[in-house]
């Protein structure tokens, strides 16, 4: 009973009630680890751990790659991935990839409308989606395995035979305008900040080009321009047909049937005009002064906040250092003030322990890692009251500096095992010990790059770019002191 001292009478009464049957008789005093009498012994499914899901790859005569991984199940996911995105629009008006995402799975040579496509998929319990990023466009379908032939046929038609009717393009213009308006009005500014940080980090080149169609380009994009772009980038050599939950040979047969000798609607594809520019990290700052006092009205409105994102160059996903950077991002983690953690998915991540737990006025502190085939960007997004922006920036710059010296204070065992590269494990050494050294090395290298800064909201108290750069070059991450005669 000593454990119940200090408990309220209601709490003690609740325990007493919980220990009784509805009839009034008391429960038997049995340990939770003791099997209940009269209950048969449970039989649990066991896994021997020997299942190996090998990724198989076949290259067809036209250069198209077919990749698959066969996992047991009733459903499969199959998609066509194209090496095409906003970074390839240097010779075109920005926004083409954005348009193609909205135009996906519309009418094609075989299907009269999007409704007909959806009805066809519904017969196989399927759904479809298209997503574009800065360097990849993905058309994907999830459906029953027995409908694989129909799925690949539909994907081929959607990618290579879209009609791109005038009314569809006009509807897409309306959808793009609405998304641009929503982007600037939504309470969560993370997509807009991500745009700004890329524009600051890679000014005017490759992954720094706009992912969303700029308003002035909405009327410029038409069928002729789309066909010209598709002719350069939607060619078999730049495509992969990928499937999970399918037999590899069956997927290859479907690829030969529907993707080998198909002439696209825009004519023979030729990758002659492909932009092969390598990302040039520049660093810099992009600022947007904006009234954030009324972004979320209602009974529980979000307070006015200023949002800052600071980033430094990391590495390509093709480099060995991608693994330590991935682990570092998981370690930093963070999240919003009411979340259970960001990428680390836990309240023991560095940004949660060092920032959100110590500074109650910080509304958000989250780490992000964007990695591409030729560069990468590790950044931290923070939000706070406009009057505390300078202090918030200093807290974030100090976290960047402390990445090099205190990695060993947090165990890496909570990081998902898929980010642990076997090459980092040597002899009997623990992977954690080896990775800590790698994290310190890559962080030291990262801190030599110029910072990229995105700032949104009331920027009255925002430190200068030179002060932020000086803080990231110092030993403790502190901003240069300023002295004011009047406050």
């Amino acid at each position: 009973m000593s454990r119940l001292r200090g408990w309220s009478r209601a709490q003690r009464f609740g325990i007493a009630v919980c220990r009784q049957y509805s009839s009034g008789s008391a429960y038997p005093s049995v340990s939770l680890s003791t099997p209940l009498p009269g209950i048969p012994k449970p039989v649990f499914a066991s896994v021997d751990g020997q299942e190996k899901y090998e990724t198989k790859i076949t290259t067809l005569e036209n250069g198209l790659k077919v990749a698959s991984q066969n996992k047991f199940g009733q459903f499969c996911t199959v998609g066509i991935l194209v090496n095409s995105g906003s970074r390839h629009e240097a010779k075109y008006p920005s926004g083409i990839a954005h348009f193609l995402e909205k135009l996906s799975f519309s009418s094609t040579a075989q299907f009269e409308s999007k409704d007909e496509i959806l009805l066809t998929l519904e017969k196989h319990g399927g759904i479809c989606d298209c997503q574009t990023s800065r360097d990849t466009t993905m058309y994907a379908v999830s459906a029953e395995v027995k409908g694989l032939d129909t799925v690949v046929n539909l994907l081929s038609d959607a990618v290579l035979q879209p009609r791109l009717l005038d009314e569809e393009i006009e509807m897409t213009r309306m959808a793009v305008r609405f998304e641009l308006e929503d982007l600037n009005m939504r309470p969560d500014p993370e997509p807009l900040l991500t745009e700004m940080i890329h524009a600051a980090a890679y000014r005017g080149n490759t992954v720094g080009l706009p992912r969303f169609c700029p308003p002035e380009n909405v009327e410029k994009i038409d069928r002729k321009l789309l066909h010209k772009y598709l002719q350069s980038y939607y060619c078999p050599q730049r495509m992969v047909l990928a499937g999970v939950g399918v037999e590899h040979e069956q997927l290859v047969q479907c690829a030969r049937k529907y993707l080998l000798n198909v002439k696209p609607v825009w004519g023979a594809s030729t990758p002659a005009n492909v932009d092969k520019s390598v990302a040039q990290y520049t660093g810099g700052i992009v600022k947007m002064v904006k009234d954030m006092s009324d972004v979320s009205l209602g009974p529980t409105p979000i307070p006015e906040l200023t949002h800052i994102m600071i980033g430094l160059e990391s590495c390509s996903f093709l480099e060995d250092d991608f693994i330590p950077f991935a682990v570092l991002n998981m370690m930093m983690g963070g999240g919003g003030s009411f979340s259970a953690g960001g990428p680390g998915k836990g309240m023991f991540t560095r940004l949660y322990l060092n920032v959100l737990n110590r500074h109650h006025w910080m509304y958000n502190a989250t780490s992000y890692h964007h990695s591409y085939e030729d560069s990468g960007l590790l950044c931290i997004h923070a939000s706070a009251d406009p009057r505390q922006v300078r202090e918030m920036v200093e807290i974030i710059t100090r976290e960047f500096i402390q990445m090099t010296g205190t990695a060993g204070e947090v165990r890496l065992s909570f990081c998902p095992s898929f980010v642990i590269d076997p090459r980092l494990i040597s002899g009997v050494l623990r992977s954690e010990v080896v990775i800590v050294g790698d994290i310190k090395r890559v962080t030291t290298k990262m801190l030599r790059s110029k910072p990229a800064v995105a700032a949104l909201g009331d920027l009255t108290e925002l430190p200068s770019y030179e002060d932020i750069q000086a803080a990231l070059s110092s030993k403790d991450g502190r901003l240069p002191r300023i002295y004011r005669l009047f406050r």
Side-chain angles (χ1 to χ4, degrees), residues 281 312-313 441-451 469 472-473:
Y281 181 87
L312 294 168
E313 186 179 20
R441 174 179 54 80
V442 299
T443 305
T444 302
K445 179 182 177 182
M446 178 180 66
L447 285 168
R448 298 192 190 110
S449 64
K450 291 179 60 177
Q469 188 173 10
L472 290 169
S473 302

Side-chain angles (χ1 to χ4, degrees), residues 284-343:
I285 185 169
V286 172
K287 299 185 288 186
M288 181 183 295
V289 177
K290 185 180 179 183
D291 181 9
M292 305 289 286
S293 60
D294 59 350
V295 295
S296 178
L297 303 176
T300 56
I302 296 176
E304 181 180 2
L305 300 171
T306 294
H307 301 270
I308 306 294
M309 193 174 279
I310 301 176
L312 294 168
E313 186 179 20
S314 58
C315 71
S316 156
F317 58 69
L318 298 175
E319 299 178 45
D320 290 339
D321 284 345
F322 172 74
I323 302 299
F325 272 116
V327 175
L328 176 62
N329 182 50
M330 301 297 286
M331 283 178 53
M332 297 307 295
S337 55
F338 298 104
S339 73

